[in-house]
Amino acid sequence: MHRRRLLSSMLGAGLLLAAALTTPAQAQQAAPTKLKWAHVYETSEPFHKWSVWAAEEIRKRSNGKYQIDVFPASQLGKENDINQGLAMGTVDMIISGSSFAAKSFPRIGVTYYPYIFRNPDHLLAYTRSDIYKELTAGYEQKTGNHIVATTYYGTRQSTSNKPFSHCAEMKGLKMRVPDVPAYLAMPRACGVNTSPIAFAEVYLALQNGTVEAQENPLTTIEAKKFYEVQKYIVLTGHIVDHLNTIISGALWKKLSEPERKMFAEVAQEAAAKATADVVAREKELVAVFKQKGITVTEVSIPEYRDAVLKNVSVESQGYRKADWEKIQAVK
């Protein structure tokens, strides 16, 4: 009996010693830190595809320490909700436009002012510039959240059931436009009657005639099938749109410096891959839409740009002309 007790004590001591010698890596693999990454885009879009890739890449590079679940298509709320979720702790990472970041730090919204970017290459050059660092740092100082990457979303074009090729011909057109100053600038400069219908309801609103027109990148027009309920696509090219990958302040504070570097590198790799997909698809889509019987019309970009600058100035939108000038100067 005494010997049995001794063996039992030795076995218990061995188990305690084994538990004490468990390495941090083993403990992390046994109980990974679970994170939520949310966005509003469809699973068919590159923004979701490469977010899923990034989540898996972060799991690999952290040796299983971080397990990220990606929630697409507004599963965790609309864009405003997920932005608020960063502060509330309901999400850890999001993909969202600068227009929503501008609600907390207005200066960053200047990047949505019409025709501020000449093309996608100009946008990407901006993400490597000092003014980008200045604006993203200002956003972080205001919110605590950290922008780790920026993805090209697409150049916003117009669709309509009425043909037009000049700014003046848009006067009185009923157009769905998000209720964001920069988005509203071009339509209002051209006398459009704007309506802020929820994104999920745009197809039905176009179908039943609640509105006659809308504006979005060609890739979104394809993904949301707006071409099914619109006769004309007009290449107004008014905003070179983009999305930010944002990490909540709470998570950013918990990450070590090497982890911060790794999260940022993965997010930037994913952004570059998604950007390449969007650029490639945009080049194909004009021909695709024409094959579907849609009339695709080009316009004079200088004409539209001049109308915006004249009728809806940078300052009237609450932005700083100095920021606009710095971005214009980026090569």
Side-chain angles (χ1 to χ4, degrees):
M1 183 67 72
H2 177 73
R3 184 175 178 180
R4 191 175 297 169
R5 286 201 196 98
L6 180 61
L7 286 171
S8 178
S9 298
M10 289 173 65
L11 180 60
L15 290 172
L16 288 171
L17 180 60
L21 292 175
T22 299
T23 66
Q26 289 171 326
Q28 288 161 2
Q29 289 172 347
T33 299
K34 294 189 175 182
L35 304 175
K36 292 181 179 179
W37 185 342
H39 64 76
V40 301
Y41 303 99
E42 301 297 326
T43 55
S44 60
E45 295 183 83
F47 318 110
H48 178 69
K49 170 187 172 183
W50 293 111
S51 295
V52 171
W53 173 86
E56 175 61 14
E57 199 67 15
I58 288 170
R59 186 194 65 78
K60 289 178 184 176
R61 296 190 196 185
S62 67
N63 294 316
K65 180 177 179 179
Y66 294 102
Q67 178 183 313
I68 304 176
D69 293 318
V70 181
F71 296 86
S74 301
Q75 288 178 6
L76 296 186
K78 295 179 180 178
E79 200 157 1
N80 196 53
D81 300 324
I82 63 174
N83 273 272
Q84 292 176 351
L86 290 173
M88 296 169 63
T90 54
V91 294
D92 303 288
M93 300 176 65
I94 68 170
I95 298 176
S96 179
S98 288
S99 59
F100 287 88
K103 292 182 178 181
S104 300
F105 182 62
R107 280 181 61 196
I108 204 169
V110 73
T111 58
Y112 275 22
Y113 184 80
Y115 306 107
I116 190 168
F117 294 115
R118 294 180 287 277
N119 49 44
D121 288 339
H122 185 199
L123 168 69
L124 296 177
Y126 155 74
T127 65
R128 299 185 293 268
S129 70
D130 289 340
I131 182 60
Y132 177 79
K133 293 174 185 175
E134 184 180 339
L135 292 177
T136 55
Y139 168 77
E140 182 171 10
Q141 186 176 12
K142 191 74 173 179
T143 65
N145 304 322
H146 188 79
I147 295 174
V148 288
T150 297
T151 305
Y152 172 59
Y153 178 66
T155 300
R156 297 182 83 90
Q157 316 287 2
S158 302
T159 71
S160 175
N161 277 332
K162 293 183 177 180
F164 63 87
S165 56
H166 297 280
C167 179
E169 294 172 348
M170 296 177 71
K171 187 174 182 179
L173 188 69
K174 292 188 296 182
M175 185 179 219
R176 180 269 176 180
V177 185
D179 190 19
V180 175
Y183 282 142
L184 293 164
M186 184 281 284
R188 288 188 174 171
C190 296
V192 169
N193 180 10
T194 60
S195 179
I197 294 167
F199 190 48
E201 300 166 11
V202 175
Y203 184 98
L204 183 60
L206 293 169
Q207 188 178 47
N208 64 26
T210 302
V211 290
E212 304 165 290
Q214 67 84 45
E215 52 81 55
N216 262 298
L218 295 179
T219 48
T220 305
I221 293 166
E222 178 190 37
K224 291 296 186 179
K225 301 187 184 299
F226 294 149
Y227 60 85
E228 294 180 346
V229 287
Q230 297 277 262
K231 297 177 181 177
Y232 302 94
I233 293 176
V234 184
L235 302 178
T236 47
H238 47 287
I239 295 176
V240 177
D241 210 339
H242 51 286
L243 305 171
N244 299 313
T245 304
I246 309 174
I247 295 178
S248 73
L251 173 59
W252 193 249
K253 288 177 183 177
K254 292 177 184 176
L255 298 177
S256 66
E257 281 302 321
E259 287 174 337
R260 288 181 177 185
K261 185 173 184 290
M262 181 269 289
F263 268 72
E265 286 177 348
V266 171
Q268 287 160 14
E269 288 175 35
K273 292 173 185 292
T275 293
D277 282 357
V278 174
V279 168
R281 188 56 180 159
E282 279 187 326
K283 289 179 180 177
E284 300 168 347
L285 277 174
V286 168
V288 169
F289 288 131
K290 286 181 177 179
Q291 289 171 0
K292 293 180 182 294
I294 306 298
T295 300
V296 181
T297 304
E298 294 187 12
V299 302
S300 168
I301 296 299
E303 174 198 326
Y304 274 81
R305 183 176 60 242
D306 291 348
V308 172
L309 288 169
K310 178 183 177 182
N311 298 321
V312 189
S313 67
V314 175
E315 296 91 340
S316 73
Q317 300 295 286
Y319 306 133
R320 290 173 35 160
K321 188 67 177 293
D323 292 336
W324 180 86
E325 289 173 344
K326 287 178 182 178
I327 293 173
Q328 288 283 289
V330 170
K331 302 295 185 185

